[in-house]
Amino acid sequence: MLRTEDTSVTVYRQDYTPPAFAFGHVDLLVELDAERTVVTSRIEVKRLVKDTPLILHGEEQELLAVTINDEPAGHYSIDEDTLTLHEVPARFTLSITSANRPSANTSLMGLYVSGGNFFTQCEAEGFRKITYFLDRPDVMTTYTVTLRADKAQCPVLLANGNLISKADLPDGRHEAVWDDPFKKPSYLFALVAGRLSCIEETITTGSGASKLLQVWVEPADLDKTRHAMDSLIASIRWDEARFGLELDLERFMIVAVSDFNMGAMENKGLNIFNTKYVLANSETATDTDFANIESVVGHEYFHNWTGNRVTCRDWFQLSLKEGLTVFRDQEFSADMMGTASGRAVKRIEDVRLLRQVQFPEDAGPMAHPVRPDSYQEINNFYTVTVYEKGAEVVRMYQTLLGRDGFRKGMDLYFKRHDGQAVTCDDFRQAMADANGRDLTQFGRWYSQAGTPEVSALTRYNPADKSFTLTLTQHCPKVGIEISNEALDKQPFHIPVALGLVGPDGRDLPLQLDGEAAPQGTTRVLDLTERTQTYRFINVDAPPVPSLLRNFSAPVALDIHYTDEELAFLLAHDSDPFNRWEAGQRLATRTLLALVADAQAGRPLVADAKLVKALGSVLTDETLDPAFREQIWILPAETYLGERMGIADPAAVHAARQALRQGIASALQSELTDIYTRHRATGPYSPDAASAGRRALKNLALGYLIETGDAKALALAERQYAEADNMTDRSAALTALLNSDSPARGEALADFYMRFSDEALVIDKWFAMQAMQPGRHGQHVIDTVQSLMQHHAFTLRNPNRARSLIFSFCTANPAQFHAADGSGYTFWKNQVLALDAINPQVAARLARALDRWTRFTIPLRDRMHAALQQVAASSMLSRDVREIISKSLGQAG
Ligand code: B3K
Ligand code: ZN
């Protein structure tokens, strides 16, 4: 095997040492110029360890001056990424002047230019591209920042904290001074400068303080800011009500930028957002966009306490802030849904993401514990494991301790650690101490990777009316654990929420052997051993067990149900999550059988039991439309591939399409009826109920299109033409792209013309084409290749690159995994091209071949070759090299 030359340094969690220096107040003077920005820092330094040199991080800067107590520093040296001051006094004032070139910064880390304006991104290690510093999260200090720039070019000058003063300077320049009174790590530093406009509101928070809220955007986008502002206000209210946490600064700003590596960034008081998570109006944004904006605005706002006031000691602790903050944003969004059914829909969406993306990650070459033990490039560890599995781990505290117990734990966490940089263990200890619980074993969720498998065996004994449940857990070694022979994985502490559904569809009372009386109808079992048996008594009739209600733990549950039992749970389970789950199990079973049929060349016939069950859900008016829609979304192709011994994307696609067509023709009149009755009448509103009706209606349209019926095409064409909102218009266009309608081309052209000035909508236009299934042997790769030449396409804008390239490589499996390997060649070329511009974005794309060892031999050989070709490049960034070498490391 060709090996990548791995010169990257691995950083280990065990090597953590506290900083040898403390920083007091920092003054920063930033003289902005796109070609040469000059930064002067003044730092109060205190040495904590004798005879230690001060080693500062710094990258891609031109060092201009270093002084100690205002005298030129004597002994110092620099290399590519450090500045070392060899002999320093116990206390001194350090001043450093250096220059950087924002216009040339395409990595979008540090200080860069987007649309002629200046922005920063410092997490995780971008501050070192702005000035030499102890750029690590456990060095926390207060900052005063003076920004100077040409007043005409940069009328707006923003930084963290509170605005202290503004003044005009000679030569058409001006300055603004900002002060952040809260200690923070350098990764939360931010500045923004340029021609921007804002909407603003003043609100009064719980303590009676008045706060200024602003949403800053390019002037042309002001008409798309209202929803972000409303989401911010809702977030502030929610954090007060649910966690007693108040906004601490006088003002809070959100700024939107179109060139951005991820979703958004929680810089203290100055959140910087990808435009995708700020800008929305009914014409340009879908219901999903509206919901995502609410959730991301919430997420970043909630970081103000979970992340900023209490931060991470080191980057291995990333989930301390991310897992916790994702859990908080999930709960916020669920509360905003307003109904129990709405909460379930939100939970289903979150679990779907976890299973579709995190479970595979946790079984692949990048598998890592929620608190990783090592990394080469920390940016590669902003993963679904750290975020989404981390959120599940936080959710399990709440499941185990109850809502009140969880709140007590949070209160103690802030009482102990406000203003500190701490660890995941500190969080767990606060939860344990506040509740008088021993959570030692629970700590394994942070240290062991992999998805635990829980298998359930059940037995009902009519003679003594007992029901016995035996749960067994097992977690195979994954990723880099495999090479660690000494590692012996230990059982997890798994909360298993359970109910027993009686023959009439009602929950039975739950009384464990040894208990005097039943205790409720859903209860949480603590599974802590490898195998445990639970015996329920006084169970009057043979029940169908409903396990892992509301998905009480991030595990894979293996339990045998008959098709009838699944249909029964789908119809009756009082836990809406498990109703959905039963439907998914039924559909997965049917689909995997169809995949086998497809592989064997047998006819593909939709299972009548599944069609019947789905038909009853569709027309069940007691269920909210949004919930019905969730049940109707068939398991994704990638999910099905993961469930197979050897993944075969073409067979999976054929099976899933055949099932969709079978369902659509069997239920055509019901679907038409649903479509007609869920058309909106009033003006557009993105609220959960209206969005749910639109979702069900558009789902029906998607199925109807599968019939190829002229009436269905006419519905889609008409919906496209008449839509008064983006949800309906884009759903209609997607339907047309999945059809033989002669109107497809016309609609695509119309869509482009209509929205040519709306970058985020043009992203959708690229994405929809990249994700289209491809009709009659159409090779979507050809469409993608020609779209790469479109004048509106650029690799430099991450949203645009994601819209076309990532959509094709990660969201269109049957086309990407085309037998001729054309998808992999395309992938290789794009990884290399992107890496030269933006390593973080390239490394994300590099992960599209993570699971190469799981595919049919011809595909895996071609993927292997493509990986080796990338590995052979001598120019790879640390980011991409880590991903590729880990992928290749798991030899076939
Ligand atoms: N904390 C940032 C992510 C930073 C990613 C750096 N590569 C966004 C968030 O999780 O809120
Ligand atoms: Zn976050």
Side-chain angles (χ1 to χ4, degrees):
M1 186 176 81
L2 193 127
R3 287 222 70 99
T4 69
E5 191 207 335
D6 204 342
T7 50
S8 308
V9 182
T10 298
V11 186
Y12 293 93
R13 183 169 61 86
Q14 294 301 347
D15 293 345
Y16 174 82
T17 48
F21 292 83
F23 282 2
H25 190 70
V26 173
D27 282 290
L28 221 53
L29 169 63
V30 185
E31 303 191 72
L32 288 161
D33 183 311
E35 297 311 317
R36 195 164 195 264
T37 288
V38 178
V39 179
T40 302
S41 66
R42 233 184 131 72
I43 311 171
E44 300 305 325
V45 184
K46 188 176 158 196
R47 200 184 60 209
L48 303 173
V49 181
K50 251 182 117 184
D51 299 330
T52 320
L54 173 56
I55 306 172
L56 301 171
H57 306 108
E59 283 173 17
E60 293 166 40
Q61 294 174 71
E62 179 194 346
L63 180 61
L64 299 172
V66 190
T67 66
I68 290 182
N69 294 329
D70 295 318
E71 298 289 333
H75 304 290
Y76 70 85
S77 56
I78 57 171
D79 64 19
E80 265 204 3
D81 37 44
T82 57
L83 160 62
T84 304
L85 297 151
H86 294 283
E87 281 161 30
V88 292
R91 276 175 183 275
F92 59 102
T93 304
L94 172 65
S95 178
I96 301 173
T97 304
S98 63
N100 66 80
R101 193 171 166 210
S103 68
N105 181 355
T106 59
S107 71
L108 312 183
M109 288 295 286
L111 177 64
Y112 64 94
V113 178
S114 168
N117 299 322
F118 294 91
F119 298 90
T120 55
Q121 171 57 35
C122 292
E123 188 179 1
E125 297 177 335
F127 194 64
R128 62 189 64 183
K129 296 175 78 169
I130 299 175
T131 185
Y132 286 96
F133 207 74
L134 278 181
D135 190 13
R136 44 186 285 172
D138 56 356
V139 174
M140 297 175 80
T141 178
T142 52
Y143 293 68
T144 303
V145 177
T146 303
L147 300 178
R148 291 187 184 152
D150 182 88
K151 194 172 180 178
Q153 268 173 25
C154 290
V156 174
L157 299 172
L158 309 175
N160 315 89
N162 301 317
L163 180 62
I164 301 302
S165 64
K166 267 171 134 174
D168 285 338
L169 302 170
D171 301 330
R173 292 175 75 77
H174 73 148
E175 71 168 28
V177 182
W178 292 82
D179 182 72
D180 182 356
F182 294 96
K183 281 188 171 187
K184 67 168 177 289
S186 50
Y187 82 84
L188 290 174
F189 169 84
L191 73 82
V192 171
R195 291 195 192 94
L196 296 163
S197 307
C198 76
I199 60 162
E200 61 181 38
E201 294 250 331
T202 305
I203 62 160
T204 306
T205 52
S207 67
S210 158
K211 313 279 179 180
L212 177 63
L213 311 179
Q214 296 176 324
V215 179
W216 291 91
V217 295
E218 290 194 3
D221 290 323
L222 272 177
D223 63 341
K224 299 180 213 81
T225 50
R226 190 63 240 169
H227 181 65
M229 176 63 87
D230 290 342
S231 301
L232 176 60
I233 295 170
S235 307
I236 294 171
R237 300 287 178 232
W238 184 86
D239 219 10
E240 288 186 0
R242 176 85 179 256
F243 288 108
L245 298 171
E246 196 176 342
L247 174 57
D248 50 9
L249 288 161
E250 291 164 21
R251 69 164 78 196
F252 191 90
M253 298 169 277
I254 286 177
V255 187
V257 56
S258 60
D259 294 292
F260 204 65
N261 283 345
M262 60 272 167
M265 178 64 212
E266 69 264 24
N267 317 298
K268 185 79 186 186
L270 180 58
N271 287 188
I272 298 179
F273 275 60
N274 188 324
T275 42
K276 184 173 164 59
Y277 296 107
V278 174
L279 304 181
N281 65 28
S282 59
E283 303 262 295
T284 62
T286 61
D287 294 331
T288 305
D289 293 325
F290 276 90
N292 287 342
I293 289 168
E294 182 180 83
S295 128
V296 178
V297 167
H299 180 96
E300 306 310 328
Y301 176 74
F302 303 143
H303 266 316
N304 191 47
W305 280 93
T306 50
N308 301 4
R309 289 287 287 253
V310 183
T311 194
C312 303
R313 185 193 73 173
D314 54 71
W315 290 120
F316 297 103
Q317 317 298 328
L318 183 58
S319 199
L320 171 78
K321 73 178 177 81
E322 296 304 347
L324 176 53
T325 305
V326 171
F327 168 73
R328 277 153 53 69
D329 85 52
Q330 289 176 347
E331 287 289 278
F332 165 62
S333 295
D335 285 347
M336 298 297 286
M337 300 291 269
T339 60
S341 156
R343 290 189 74 86
V345 167
K346 171 66 181 151
R347 184 73 185 128
I348 289 164
E349 288 169 345
D350 292 339
V351 173
R352 187 184 283 126
L353 171 71
L354 187 83
R355 282 188 183 150
Q356 233 160 267
V357 189
Q358 197 278 326
F359 280 20
E361 174 170 281
D362 223 348
M366 271 292 287
H368 52 276
V370 164
R371 182 193 56 209
D373 289 316
S374 65
Y375 60 75
Q376 290 172 16
E377 170 51 61
I378 183 56
N379 285 318
N380 286 335
F381 284 80
Y382 285 74
T383 59
V384 276
T385 298
V386 166
Y387 276 65
E388 270 69 28
K389 186 177 181 181
E392 293 300 319
V393 171
V394 174
R395 182 176 296 276
M396 284 191 286
Y397 288 110
Q398 183 172 270
T399 304
L400 289 168
L401 305 170
R403 251 201 203 210
D404 292 346
F406 184 77
R407 171 67 195 268
K408 276 193 219 151
M410 289 286 279
D411 290 350
L412 183 60
Y413 174 66
F414 292 117
K415 191 165 161 228
R416 280 184 182 167
H417 300 299
D418 189 12
Q420 297 175 6
V422 304
T423 66
C424 298
D425 287 335
D426 293 319
F427 183 78
R428 181 164 52 93
Q429 202 56 53
M431 285 289 153
D433 292 349
N435 290 280
R437 285 281 288 262
D438 181 356
L439 294 173
T440 312
Q441 185 183 355
F442 191 83
R444 290 180 191 150
W445 283 109
Y446 292 97
S447 60
Q448 300 185 138
T451 305
E453 297 162 8
V454 175
S455 55
L457 284 177
T458 62
R459 192 168 57 87
Y460 179 69
N461 184 347
D464 64 0
K465 295 195 186 307
S466 71
F467 178 82
T468 311
L469 169 70
T470 300
L471 295 175
T472 304
Q473 59 166 307
H474 168 70
C475 189
K477 284 190 196 179
V478 289
I480 52 172
E481 288 176 348
I482 297 171
S483 56
N484 179 358
E485 278 174 22
L487 179 73
D488 179 22
K489 289 178 95 167
Q490 299 297 310
F492 291 86
H493 182 171
I494 303 176
V496 179
L498 136 150
L500 297 178
V501 188
D504 62 354
R506 289 191 205 188
D507 281 341
L508 299 170
L510 300 175
Q511 183 178 9
L512 277 168
D513 199 1
E515 290 175 349
Q519 299 178 16
T521 52
T522 296
R523 49 195 290 182
V524 178
L525 306 174
D526 285 71
L527 175 62
T528 54
E529 308 290 328
R530 290 190 200 274
T531 295
Q532 259 169 283
T533 295
Y534 307 84
R535 187 163 174 271
F536 293 90
I537 55 170
N538 296 327
V539 183
D540 287 335
V544 180
S546 167
L547 286 179
L548 223 59
R549 281 188 160 172
N550 204 36
F551 204 62
S552 61
V555 302
L557 174 66
D558 178 23
I559 177 169
H560 179 75
Y561 287 117
T562 61
D563 288 354
E564 289 68 27
E565 285 172 327
L566 289 175
F568 175 80
L569 287 174
L570 173 59
H572 300 291
D573 200 322
S574 67
D575 181 62
F577 179 86
N578 268 1
R579 281 184 86 160
W580 171 80
E581 179 77 329
Q584 291 294 297
R585 279 181 188 268
L586 203 55
T588 302
R589 183 176 291 177
T590 305
L591 279 161
L592 291 177
L594 281 175
V595 173
D597 291 341
Q599 286 175 320
R602 290 188 289 265
L604 304 179
V605 185
D607 177 70
K609 270 183 274 191
L610 179 66
V611 171
K612 183 163 174 260
L614 287 176
S616 339
V617 169
L618 188 65
T619 50
D620 184 344
E621 297 291 327
T622 65
L623 299 174
D624 286 345
F627 185 66
R628 282 184 260 168
E629 192 241 352
Q630 291 300 329
I631 288 181
W632 264 70
I633 299 174
L634 295 178
E637 292 179 23
T638 47
Y639 176 80
L640 294 165
E642 287 286 334
R643 303 297 302 265
M644 297 172 70
I646 298 174
D648 181 349
V652 167
H653 182 70
R656 195 170 182 277
Q657 281 304 109
L659 181 59
R660 280 175 61 83
Q661 283 158 8
I663 294 170
S665 54
L667 298 171
Q668 192 166 1
S669 70
E670 289 84 347
L671 286 162
T672 308
D673 184 51
I674 287 284
Y675 181 85
T676 315
R677 284 194 299 110
H678 289 81
R679 276 203 188 124
T681 40
Y684 173 85
S685 151
D687 68 89
S690 317
R693 280 195 295 278
R694 263 187 299 277
L696 186 64
K697 179 201 66 176
N698 287 327
L699 174 123
L701 178 64
Y703 271 93
L704 287 169
I705 278 289
E706 303 283 2
T707 63
D709 194 64
K711 276 186 282 190
L713 297 186
L715 288 182
E717 285 161 25
R718 187 168 144 206
Q719 175 166 324
Y720 179 82
E722 292 179 0
D724 72 345
N725 65 82
M726 180 50 73
T727 306
D728 285 341
R729 198 181 302 279
S730 61
L733 184 53
T734 298
L736 290 173
L737 285 174
N738 193 20
S739 78
D740 293 324
S741 160
R744 308 170 73 202
E746 209 180 299
L748 266 177
D750 174 84
F751 192 90
Y752 186 85
M753 289 312 293
R754 218 181 254 267
F755 298 109
S756 56
D757 292 337
E758 298 286 354
L760 294 171
V761 184
I762 297 305
D763 290 339
K764 294 183 197 299
W765 184 79
F766 279 107
M768 281 189 267
Q769 294 181 77
M771 293 190 297
Q772 64 184 311
R775 310 283 298 166
H776 312 303
Q778 173 200 358
H779 297 294
V780 177
I781 181 79
D782 299 338
T783 310
V784 171
Q785 294 278 20
S786 73
L787 286 170
M788 296 284 295
Q789 308 305 319
H790 192 281
H791 63 87
F793 185 77
T794 167
L795 279 182
R796 284 182 184 251
N797 174 259
N799 286 356
R800 192 55 51 89
R802 283 186 281 255
S803 73
L804 183 58
I805 300 171
F806 287 53
S807 297
F808 179 69
C809 296
T810 66
N812 196 347
Q815 292 288 327
F816 176 60
H817 294 284
D820 61 3
S822 52
Y824 310 145
T825 306
F826 174 75
W827 168 87
K828 174 200 75 182
N829 291 337
Q830 301 319 319
V831 169
L832 293 174
L834 273 169
D835 200 28
I837 299 169
N838 187 326
Q840 255 182 73
V841 175
R844 293 285 153 155
L845 181 62
R847 294 204 52 193
L849 261 56
D850 257 19
R851 301 289 277 151
W852 65 277
T853 57
R854 298 203 69 265
F855 287 78
T856 55
I857 289 172
L859 293 181
R860 64 178 279 180
D861 286 350
R862 289 182 195 279
M863 282 191 253
H864 188 209
L867 281 161
Q868 285 181 312
Q869 285 162 15
V870 175
S873 161
S874 56
M875 308 283 284
L876 293 188
S877 64
R878 182 168 58 210
D879 309 57
V880 169
R881 188 164 295 284
E882 177 173 30
I883 303 298
I884 300 292
S885 65
K886 285 184 173 162
S887 290
L888 285 172
Q890 55 154 26

